[in-house]
Coordinates of all heavy atoms in Angstrom, one line a residue:
M575 N 25.7 16.8 -1.6 CA 25.0 18.0 -1.7 C 25.4 18.8 -0.5 O 25.4 18.3 0.6 CB 23.5 17.7 -1.7 CG 22.7 19.0 -1.6 SD 20.9 18.7 -1.4 CE 20.5 17.9 -2.9
T576 N 25.6 20.1 -0.7 CA 26.0 21.0 0.4 C 24.9 22.0 0.5 O 24.5 22.6 -0.5 CB 27.3 21.7 0.1 OG1 28.3 20.6 0.0 CG2 27.7 22.6 1.3
V577 N 24.4 22.3 1.7 CA 23.3 23.2 1.9 C 23.7 24.2 3.0 O 24.2 23.8 4.0 CB 22.0 22.5 2.3 CG1 20.9 23.5 2.5 CG2 21.6 21.5 1.2
Q578 N 23.5 25.5 2.7 CA 23.8 26.5 3.7 C 22.7 26.5 4.8 O 21.5 26.3 4.5 CB 23.9 27.9 3.1 CG 24.9 28.0 2.0 CD 26.3 27.7 2.6 OE1 26.7 28.2 3.7 NE2 27.2 27.0 1.8
A579 N 23.0 26.7 6.1 CA 22.1 26.7 7.1 C 21.0 27.8 6.9 O 19.8 27.6 7.3 CB 22.8 26.9 8.5
A580 N 21.3 28.9 6.3 CA 20.3 29.9 6.1 C 19.3 29.5 5.0 O 18.2 30.1 5.0 CB 21.1 31.2 5.6
D581 N 19.6 28.5 4.2 CA 18.7 28.1 3.2 C 17.7 27.0 3.7 O 16.7 26.7 3.0 CB 19.4 27.4 2.0 CG 20.2 28.5 1.3 OD1 19.9 29.7 1.3 OD2 21.3 28.1 0.7
I582 N 17.8 26.6 4.9 CA 16.9 25.6 5.5 C 15.7 26.3 6.1 O 15.8 27.1 7.0 CB 17.6 24.7 6.6 CG1 18.8 24.0 5.9 CG2 16.7 23.8 7.2 CD1 19.7 23.3 6.9
V583 N 14.5 25.9 5.6 CA 13.3 26.5 6.0 C 12.7 25.8 7.2 O 12.3 26.3 8.2 CB 12.3 26.6 4.9 CG1 10.9 27.1 5.4 CG2 12.8 27.4 3.7
S584 N 12.7 24.4 7.2 CA 12.2 23.6 8.3 C 12.9 22.2 8.2 O 13.4 21.8 7.2 CB 10.7 23.5 8.2 OG 10.3 22.7 7.0
V585 N 12.8 21.6 9.4 CA 13.4 20.2 9.5 C 12.3 19.4 10.2 O 11.8 19.8 11.2 CB 14.7 20.2 10.3 CG1 15.2 18.8 10.5 CG2 15.7 21.1 9.7
H586 N 12.0 18.2 9.6 CA 11.1 17.3 10.3 C 11.5 15.8 9.9 O 12.0 15.6 8.8 CB 9.6 17.6 9.9 CG 9.4 17.5 8.4 ND1 9.6 18.6 7.6 CD2 8.9 16.6 7.6 CE1 9.3 18.3 6.3 NE2 8.8 17.0 6.4
P587 N 11.2 14.9 10.7 CA 11.5 13.5 10.4 C 10.6 12.9 9.3 O 9.4 13.3 9.2 CB 11.3 12.8 11.7 CG 10.3 13.6 12.5 CD 10.6 15.0 12.0
V588 N 11.2 12.0 8.5 CA 10.4 11.3 7.5 C 10.7 9.8 7.6 O 11.8 9.4 8.1 CB 10.7 11.8 6.1 CG1 10.2 13.2 5.9 CG2 12.1 11.7 5.7
D589 N 9.8 8.9 7.2 CA 10.1 7.5 7.2 C 10.5 7.1 5.8 O 10.0 7.6 4.8 CB 8.8 6.7 7.5 CG 8.4 6.9 9.0 OD1 9.3 7.1 9.8 OD2 7.2 6.8 9.3
G590 N 11.5 6.2 5.7 CA 12.0 5.8 4.4 C 13.4 5.1 4.6 O 13.9 4.9 5.7
V591 N 13.9 4.8 3.4 CA 15.3 4.1 3.4 C 16.1 4.7 2.3 O 15.5 5.3 1.3 CB 15.2 2.6 3.2 CG1 14.5 1.9 4.3 CG2 14.5 2.3 1.9
V592 N 17.4 4.6 2.4 CA 18.3 5.1 1.3 C 18.7 3.8 0.6 O 19.3 2.9 1.2 CB 19.5 5.8 1.9 CG1 20.4 6.2 0.8 CG2 19.0 7.1 2.6
V593 N 18.4 3.8 -0.7 CA 18.8 2.7 -1.6 C 19.6 3.2 -2.7 O 19.2 4.0 -3.5 CB 17.5 2.0 -2.1 CG1 17.9 0.8 -3.1 CG2 16.6 1.5 -1.0
G594 N 20.9 2.7 -2.8 CA 21.8 3.2 -3.9 C 22.0 4.7 -3.9 O 22.1 5.3 -4.9
G595 N 22.0 5.3 -2.7 CA 22.2 6.7 -2.6 C 21.0 7.6 -2.9 O 21.0 8.8 -2.8
E596 N 19.8 6.9 -3.1 CA 18.6 7.6 -3.3 C 17.6 7.4 -2.1 O 17.4 6.2 -1.7 CB 17.9 7.1 -4.6 CG 16.6 7.6 -4.9 CD 16.0 7.0 -6.1 OE1 16.7 6.5 -7.0 OE2 14.7 7.0 -6.2
F597 N 17.0 8.4 -1.6 CA 16.0 8.3 -0.5 C 14.7 7.9 -1.1 O 14.2 8.5 -2.0 CB 15.9 9.6 0.3 CG 14.9 9.5 1.4 CD1 15.2 8.8 2.5 CD2 13.7 10.1 1.2 CE1 14.3 8.7 3.6 CE2 12.7 10.0 2.3 CZ 13.0 9.3 3.4
R598 N 14.1 6.8 -0.5 CA 12.8 6.4 -0.9 C 11.9 6.4 0.3 O 12.1 5.8 1.3 CB 12.8 4.9 -1.4 CG 13.6 4.8 -2.7 CD 13.6 3.5 -3.3 NE 14.4 3.3 -4.4 CZ 14.7 2.2 -5.0 NH1 14.1 1.1 -4.6 NH2 15.5 2.2 -6.1
R599 N 10.8 7.2 0.2 CA 9.8 7.3 1.3 C 9.1 6.0 1.6 O 8.9 5.2 0.6 CB 8.7 8.4 0.9 CG 9.3 9.8 0.9 CD 8.1 10.7 0.6 NE 8.5 12.1 0.7 CZ 8.5 12.9 1.8 NH1 7.9 12.4 2.9 NH2 8.9 14.1 1.8
A600 N 8.8 5.8 2.8 CA 8.0 4.6 3.2 C 6.6 4.7 2.6 O 6.0 5.7 2.5 CB 7.9 4.5 4.7
D601 N 6.2 3.6 2.1 CA 4.9 3.5 1.4 C 3.8 3.2 2.5 O 3.8 2.1 3.1 CB 4.9 2.4 0.4 CG 3.6 2.3 -0.4 OD1 2.6 3.0 -0.1 OD2 3.5 1.5 -1.4
P602 N 2.9 4.1 2.8 CA 1.9 3.8 3.9 C 0.9 2.7 3.5 O 0.2 2.2 4.3 CB 1.2 5.2 4.1 CG 1.4 5.8 2.7 CD 2.7 5.4 2.2
N603 N 0.8 2.4 2.2 CA -0.2 1.4 1.7 C 0.6 0.4 0.8 O 0.4 0.4 -0.4 CB -1.3 2.0 0.9 CG -2.1 3.0 1.8 OD1 -2.6 2.6 2.8 ND2 -2.1 4.2 1.4
P604 N 1.5 -0.4 1.4 CA 2.3 -1.2 0.6 C 1.7 -2.3 -0.3 O 2.3 -2.8 -1.2 CB 3.3 -1.8 1.6 CG 2.5 -1.9 2.8 CD 1.7 -0.7 2.8
T605 N 0.4 -2.7 0.1 CA -0.2 -3.8 -0.7 C -1.4 -3.4 -1.5 O -2.0 -4.2 -2.2 CB -0.6 -4.9 0.3 OG1 -1.5 -4.4 1.2 CG2 0.6 -5.5 1.0
R606 N -1.8 -2.1 -1.4 CA -3.0 -1.7 -2.1 C -2.9 -0.4 -2.7 O -2.2 0.5 -2.2 CB -4.2 -1.6 -1.1 CG -4.6 -3.0 -0.5 CD -5.8 -2.9 0.3 NE -6.9 -2.6 -0.6 CZ -8.0 -1.9 -0.2 NH1 -8.0 -1.4 1.0 NH2 -8.9 -1.6 -1.0
L607 N -3.5 -0.2 -3.9 CA -3.5 1.1 -4.5 C -5.0 1.6 -4.4 O -5.9 0.9 -4.0 CB -3.2 0.9 -6.0 CG -1.7 0.5 -6.3 CD1 -1.5 0.2 -7.7 CD2 -0.7 1.5 -5.8
F608 N -5.2 2.8 -4.9 CA -6.5 3.4 -4.8 C -7.6 2.6 -5.5 O -8.7 2.4 -5.1 CB -6.5 4.8 -5.3 CG -7.8 5.6 -5.2 CD1 -8.2 5.9 -3.9 CD2 -8.5 5.9 -6.3 CE1 -9.4 6.6 -3.7 CE2 -9.7 6.6 -6.1 CZ -10.2 6.9 -4.8
F609 N -7.2 2.1 -6.7 CA -8.2 1.4 -7.5 C -8.1 -0.1 -7.5 O -8.9 -0.8 -8.1 CB -8.2 1.9 -9.0 CG -8.7 3.3 -9.2 CD1 -7.8 4.3 -9.4 CD2 -10.0 3.5 -9.1 CE1 -8.2 5.6 -9.6 CE2 -10.5 4.8 -9.2 CZ -9.6 5.9 -9.5
G610 N -7.1 -0.7 -6.9 CA -7.0 -2.2 -6.9 C -5.7 -2.6 -6.2 O -4.9 -1.8 -5.7
P611 N -5.6 -3.9 -6.1 CA -4.5 -4.5 -5.4 C -3.1 -4.4 -6.2 O -3.2 -4.2 -7.4 CB -4.8 -6.0 -5.2 CG -5.7 -6.2 -6.4 CD -6.5 -5.0 -6.6
T612 N -2.0 -4.5 -5.5 CA -0.7 -4.6 -6.1 C -0.2 -6.0 -6.1 O -0.9 -6.9 -5.6 CB 0.3 -3.7 -5.3 OG1 0.6 -4.4 -4.1 CG2 -0.2 -2.3 -5.1
A613 N 0.9 -6.3 -6.6 CA 1.5 -7.6 -6.6 C 2.4 -7.7 -5.4 O 3.1 -8.7 -5.3 CB 2.3 -7.8 -7.9
R614 N 2.4 -6.8 -4.5 CA 3.3 -6.9 -3.3 C 2.6 -7.7 -2.2 O 1.5 -7.6 -1.9 CB 3.5 -5.5 -2.7 CG 4.1 -4.5 -3.7 CD 4.2 -3.2 -3.1 NE 4.3 -2.2 -4.2 CZ 4.0 -0.9 -4.0 NH1 3.6 -0.5 -2.9 NH2 4.2 -0.1 -5.0
A615 N 3.4 -8.6 -1.6 CA 2.9 -9.5 -0.6 C 3.0 -8.8 0.8 O 3.9 -7.9 1.0 CB 3.7 -10.8 -0.5
L616 N 2.2 -9.2 1.7 CA 2.2 -8.7 3.1 C 3.4 -9.4 3.8 O 3.8 -10.5 3.4 CB 1.0 -9.0 3.8 CG -0.3 -8.3 3.4 CD1 -1.5 -8.9 4.1 CD2 -0.2 -6.8 3.7
K617 N 3.9 -8.8 4.8 CA 5.0 -9.4 5.6 C 4.3 -10.6 6.4 O 3.1 -10.5 6.7 CB 5.6 -8.5 6.6 CG 6.4 -7.3 5.9 CD 7.6 -7.9 5.2 CE 8.4 -6.7 4.6 NZ 9.5 -7.2 3.8
Q618 N 5.1 -11.6 6.8 CA 4.6 -12.7 7.5 C 3.9 -12.2 8.8 O 4.4 -11.4 9.6 CB 5.7 -13.7 7.9 CG 5.2 -14.9 8.6 CD 6.3 -15.9 8.9 OE1 7.5 -15.7 8.6 NE2 5.9 -17.1 9.4
G619 N 2.6 -12.7 9.0 CA 1.9 -12.3 10.2 C 1.1 -11.1 10.1 O 0.2 -10.8 10.9
A620 N 1.3 -10.3 9.0 CA 0.5 -9.0 8.8 C -0.8 -9.4 8.2 O -0.9 -10.4 7.5 CB 1.3 -8.1 7.9
A621 N -1.8 -8.6 8.5 CA -3.1 -8.8 7.9 C -3.9 -7.5 7.8 O -3.6 -6.6 8.5 CB -3.9 -9.8 8.7
Y622 N -4.9 -7.5 6.9 CA -5.9 -6.4 6.9 C -7.3 -6.9 6.5 O -7.4 -7.9 5.8 CB -5.4 -5.2 6.1 CG -5.3 -5.4 4.6 CD1 -6.4 -5.5 3.8 CD2 -4.0 -5.6 4.1 CE1 -6.2 -5.6 2.4 CE2 -3.9 -5.8 2.7 CZ -5.0 -5.8 1.9 OH -4.8 -6.0 0.5
V623 N -8.3 -6.2 6.9 CA -9.6 -6.4 6.6 C -10.2 -5.2 6.0 O -9.9 -4.1 6.5 CB -10.4 -6.8 7.8 CG1 -11.9 -7.0 7.5 CG2 -9.9 -8.1 8.5
G624 N -11.0 -5.3 5.0 CA -11.6 -4.1 4.4 C -13.0 -4.5 3.9 O -13.5 -5.6 3.9
V625 N -13.7 -3.4 3.5 CA -15.1 -3.6 3.0 C -15.3 -2.7 1.8 O -15.0 -1.5 1.8 CB -16.1 -3.2 4.1 CG1 -17.5 -3.3 3.6 CG2 -15.9 -4.0 5.4
Y626 N -15.8 -3.3 0.7 CA -16.2 -2.5 -0.5 C -17.7 -2.2 -0.4 O -18.5 -3.1 -0.1 CB -16.0 -3.3 -1.8 CG -14.5 -3.5 -2.1 CD1 -14.0 -4.8 -2.2 CD2 -13.7 -2.5 -2.5 CE1 -12.7 -5.0 -2.5 CE2 -12.4 -2.7 -2.9 CZ -11.9 -4.0 -2.9 OH -10.6 -4.2 -3.2
E627 N -18.0 -1.0 -0.7 CA -19.4 -0.6 -0.8 C -20.3 -1.0 0.4 O -21.4 -1.5 0.3 CB -20.0 -1.1 -2.1 CG -19.3 -0.7 -3.3 CD -19.5 0.8 -3.6 OE1 -20.5 1.4 -3.2 OE2 -18.6 1.3 -4.2
I628 N -19.8 -1.0 1.6 CA -20.5 -1.2 2.9 C -20.7 -2.7 3.1 O -20.6 -3.2 4.3 CB -21.8 -0.4 3.0 CG1 -21.5 1.1 2.9 CG2 -22.5 -0.7 4.3 CD1 -22.7 1.9 2.9
L629 N -21.1 -3.5 2.1 CA -21.5 -4.9 2.4 C -20.6 -6.0 1.8 O -21.0 -7.1 1.9 CB -22.9 -5.1 1.8 CG -24.0 -4.2 2.4 CD1 -25.3 -4.4 1.7 CD2 -24.2 -4.5 3.9
L630 N -19.5 -5.6 1.2 CA -18.7 -6.6 0.5 C -17.3 -6.8 1.2 O -16.3 -6.1 0.8 CB -18.5 -6.2 -0.9 CG -19.9 -6.0 -1.7 CD1 -19.6 -5.4 -3.0 CD2 -20.7 -7.3 -1.8
P631 N -17.2 -7.6 2.2 CA -15.9 -7.7 3.0 C -14.8 -8.5 2.3 O -15.1 -9.4 1.4 CB -16.4 -8.4 4.2 CG -17.5 -9.3 3.8 CD -18.2 -8.5 2.7
F632 N -13.6 -8.3 2.7 CA -12.4 -9.0 2.2 C -11.4 -9.0 3.3 O -11.4 -8.2 4.2 CB -11.9 -8.5 0.9 CG -11.4 -7.1 1.0 CD1 -10.0 -6.9 1.3 CD2 -12.2 -6.0 0.8 CE1 -9.5 -5.6 1.4 CE2 -11.7 -4.7 0.9 CZ -10.4 -4.5 1.2
V633 N -10.5 -10.0 3.2 CA -9.4 -10.1 4.2 C -8.1 -10.6 3.5 O -8.2 -11.3 2.5 CB -9.7 -11.1 5.3 CG1 -9.9 -12.5 4.8 CG2 -8.7 -11.1 6.4
Q634 N -7.0 -10.1 3.9 CA -5.7 -10.5 3.3 C -4.7 -10.8 4.5 O -4.6 -10.1 5.4 CB -5.1 -9.4 2.4 CG -3.9 -9.7 1.7 CD -4.2 -10.5 0.4 OE1 -5.3 -10.6 0.0 NE2 -3.2 -11.1 -0.1
I635 N -4.0 -12.0 4.4 CA -3.1 -12.4 5.5 C -1.8 -12.8 4.8 O -1.7 -13.5 3.9 CB -3.7 -13.6 6.2 CG1 -5.0 -13.2 6.9 CG2 -2.7 -14.1 7.3 CD1 -5.8 -14.4 7.4
G636 N -0.6 -12.3 5.5 CA 0.7 -12.7 5.0 C 1.1 -14.1 5.6 O 1.3 -14.2 6.8
I637 N 1.2 -15.1 4.8 CA 1.6 -16.4 5.3 C 3.1 -16.5 5.5 O 3.6 -16.9 6.5 CB 1.2 -17.5 4.3 CG1 -0.3 -17.4 4.0 CG2 1.6 -18.9 4.7 CD1 -1.2 -17.7 5.2
T638 N 3.9 -16.0 4.5 CA 5.3 -15.8 4.6 C 5.6 -14.4 4.1 O 4.6 -13.7 3.7 CB 6.1 -16.8 3.8 OG1 5.9 -16.5 2.4 CG2 5.7 -18.2 4.1
D639 N 6.8 -13.9 4.1 CA 7.2 -12.6 3.5 C 6.9 -12.6 2.0 O 6.9 -11.5 1.4 CB 8.6 -12.3 3.8 CG 8.8 -11.9 5.3 OD1 7.8 -11.6 6.0 OD2 9.9 -11.8 5.7
R640 N 6.8 -13.7 1.4 CA 6.6 -13.8 -0.1 C 5.2 -14.2 -0.5 O 4.8 -14.1 -1.7 CB 7.6 -14.7 -0.7 CG 9.0 -14.3 -0.5 CD 9.6 -13.6 -1.7 NE 10.9 -13.2 -1.5 CZ 11.5 -12.3 -2.2 NH1 10.9 -11.7 -3.1 NH2 12.8 -12.0 -2.0
I641 N 4.4 -14.8 0.4 CA 3.1 -15.3 0.0 C 2.0 -14.7 0.9 O 2.1 -14.8 2.1 CB 3.1 -16.9 0.2 CG1 4.1 -17.5 -0.7 CG2 1.7 -17.4 -0.1 CD1 4.3 -19.0 -0.5
S642 N 1.0 -14.2 0.3 CA -0.2 -13.7 1.0 C -1.4 -14.4 0.4 O -1.5 -14.8 -0.7 CB -0.4 -12.2 0.7 OG 0.7 -11.4 1.2
V643 N -2.4 -14.6 1.3 CA -3.6 -15.2 0.9 C -4.8 -14.3 1.3 O -4.8 -13.7 2.3 CB -3.8 -16.6 1.7 CG1 -5.1 -17.2 1.4 CG2 -2.7 -17.5 1.4
G644 N -5.7 -14.2 0.3 CA -6.8 -13.3 0.6 C -8.1 -14.0 0.2 O -8.2 -15.0 -0.5
A645 N -9.2 -13.5 0.8 CA -10.5 -14.0 0.5 C -11.6 -12.9 0.7 O -11.3 -11.9 1.4 CB -10.9 -15.2 1.5
G646 N -12.7 -13.1 0.0 CA -13.8 -12.1 0.1 C -14.3 -11.8 -1.2 O -14.1 -12.5 -2.2
T647 N -14.9 -10.7 -1.3 CA -15.6 -10.2 -2.6 C -14.5 -9.5 -3.4 O -13.5 -9.0 -3.0 CB -16.7 -9.2 -2.2 OG1 -16.2 -8.2 -1.5 CG2 -17.8 -9.9 -1.5
T648 N -14.9 -9.4 -4.7 CA -14.0 -8.6 -5.6 C -14.5 -7.2 -5.8 O -15.7 -6.9 -5.5 CB -14.0 -9.3 -7.0 OG1 -15.3 -9.2 -7.6 CG2 -13.5 -10.8 -6.9
A649 N -13.7 -6.3 -6.2 CA -14.0 -5.0 -6.5 C -14.7 -4.8 -7.8 O -15.3 -3.7 -8.1 CB -12.8 -4.1 -6.4
D650 N -14.7 -5.8 -8.7 CA -15.3 -5.7 -10.0 C -16.8 -6.0 -9.9 O -17.2 -7.1 -10.0 CB -14.6 -6.6 -11.0 CG -15.0 -6.4 -12.4 OD1 -15.8 -5.5 -12.6 OD2 -14.6 -7.2 -13.2
L651 N -17.6 -5.0 -9.8 CA -19.0 -5.2 -9.6 C -19.8 -4.8 -10.8 O -21.0 -4.7 -10.7 CB -19.5 -4.3 -8.4 CG -18.8 -4.6 -7.1 CD1 -19.2 -3.7 -6.0 CD2 -19.0 -6.1 -6.6
R652 N -19.2 -4.6 -11.9 CA -19.9 -4.2 -13.2 C -20.8 -5.4 -13.6 O -20.5 -6.5 -13.5 CB -18.9 -3.9 -14.3 CG -18.1 -2.7 -14.0 CD -17.0 -2.5 -15.0 NE -16.0 -3.5 -14.6 CZ -14.9 -3.8 -15.3 NH1 -14.8 -3.2 -16.5 NH2 -14.1 -4.7 -14.9
R653 N -21.9 -5.0 -14.2 CA -22.8 -6.0 -14.7 C -22.2 -6.7 -15.9 O -21.7 -6.1 -16.8 CB -24.2 -5.4 -15.1 CG -25.0 -4.9 -13.9 CD -26.3 -4.4 -14.4 NE -27.0 -3.9 -13.3 CZ -28.3 -3.5 -13.4 NH1 -28.9 -3.6 -14.5 NH2 -28.9 -3.1 -12.3
R654 N -22.4 -8.0 -16.0 CA -22.0 -8.8 -17.1 C -23.1 -8.8 -18.2 O -24.2 -9.0 -17.8 CB -21.6 -10.2 -16.7 CG -20.6 -10.3 -15.7 CD -19.2 -9.9 -16.2 NE -18.2 -10.0 -15.1 CZ -17.1 -9.4 -15.1 NH1 -16.8 -8.6 -16.1 NH2 -16.3 -9.5 -14.1
Q655 N -22.8 -8.6 -19.4 CA -23.8 -8.7 -20.5 C -23.6 -9.8 -21.4 O -22.6 -10.3 -21.7 CB -23.8 -7.4 -21.2 CG -24.2 -6.2 -20.3 CD -24.6 -5.0 -21.0 OE1 -25.0 -5.1 -22.2 NE2 -24.4 -3.8 -20.4

């Protein structure tokens, strides 16, 4: 891609990697989505703690780069009938 200097509006650094010639932005939440967990493991030694609805804690720890272990409450709080 060729870009003329006059066409550049602003320049700022971004986090990410180039894979196969395509730029991929860094994911700020690599193990969690807005509504639930992903299948992505934490890196070895990484961990996080969270709380659902003020009183329902959970923790996730990366044992290896491929295996994470978590404990705590689930986000599925719907009543069972």
Side-chain angles (χ1 to χ4, degrees):
M575 174 185 296
T576 303
V577 179
Q578 301 297 321
D581 294 333
I582 298 174
V583 176
S584 67
V585 177
H586 60 276
V588 293
D589 291 330
V591 296
V592 176
V593 178
E596 175 185 334
F597 179 75
R598 296 186 184 173
R599 290 183 176 265
D601 186 352
N603 301 300
T605 61
R606 296 188 62 214
L607 296 174
F608 185 69
F609 290 108
T612 69
R614 302 176 201 159
L616 291 172
K617 297 290 184 189
Q618 183 175 5
Y622 64 79
V623 176
V625 179
Y626 289 116
E627 302 293 332
I628 302 173
L629 299 173
L630 305 171
F632 63 93
V633 63
Q634 187 79 16
I635 301 169
I637 304 300
T638 71
D639 285 347
R640 301 258 182 201
I641 299 172
S642 294
V643 175
T647 57
T648 66
D650 187 5
L651 303 174
R652 294 172 284 168
R653 291 183 182 189
R654 304 286 181 204
Q655 295 193 30

